[in-house]
Amino acid sequence: MSSTIPLLSRTGNEKIVGFLLIGILSSLLDIGLLVFLCSYLGIWYLPAAALSYCCGIVCSYVLNRELNFHDHDRHVIAQFTTFAAISVSCLAVNLCVIWICVEVFALSYITGKLIATLCAVFWNYHGQKRFTFHLGS
């Protein structure tokens, strides 16, 4: 019997806690790098957001593969390609939400990034669980 939280075990989502913790860590990297690129290097917020998000993707992939899903699939390139494809769909959502927050609602790019991150969490988890790490529904 697994030592996971009973409710999570019953719903089949015991990996979501690890995924969320890794997501927080990779999001902190993403947001920190975004602030650095915009504030210190003067890069416009949209390309900076794309670059920082890609760095977060790599961090998230490595940590989820090794620590959360314990997936030792030998086809790392194919697996990372699937992970990246799902993540790129989340990147598209991220960039659109950030743009709308900044250009339409006059919010800061950081506020837009936080809102965008929350919008993409659930699709990313279910997509990675189902298609990248093949753990079913």
Side-chain angles (χ1 to χ4, degrees), residues 31-49 52 109-110:
I31 293 166
L33 187 55
L34 174 62
V35 170
F36 175 77
L37 292 170
C38 290
S39 297
Y40 296 101
L41 297 183
I43 298 174
W44 188 46
Y45 71 92
L46 284 179
S52 66
Y109 70 88
I110 296 170

Side-chain angles (χ1 to χ4, degrees), residues 19-37:
F19 188 84
L20 288 173
L21 291 174
I22 290 168
I24 290 168
L25 180 63
S26 59
S27 292
L28 289 173
L29 170 68
D30 177 5
I31 293 166
L33 187 55
L34 174 62
V35 170
F36 175 77
L37 292 170

Side-chain angles (χ1 to χ4, degrees), residues 48-75:
L51 179 60
S52 66
Y53 190 84
C54 290
C55 291
I57 289 172
V58 174
C59 173
S60 181
Y61 171 74
V62 171
L63 293 176
N64 271 299
R65 175 181 166 84
E66 297 301 322
L67 301 178
N68 192 37
F69 293 106
H70 307 288
D71 189 316
H72 301 290
D73 186 337
R74 296 177 146 271
H75 305 287

Side-chain angles (χ1 to χ4, degrees), residues 61 71 79 82-83 86 127-134:
Y61 171 74
D71 189 316
Q79 186 180 53
T82 302
F83 189 92
I86 293 166
Q128 301 304 358
K129 180 181 171 191
R130 177 169 282 166
F131 299 111
T132 304
F133 298 110
H134 306 291

Side-chain angles (χ1 to χ4, degrees), residues 7 13 33 35 52 54 62 85-87 96 107 115 119 123 125:
L7 177 62
N13 289 322
L33 187 55
V35 170
S52 66
C54 290
V62 171
I86 293 166
S87 296
C96 288
L107 299 172
I115 293 168
C119 290
W123 158 246
Y125 171 71

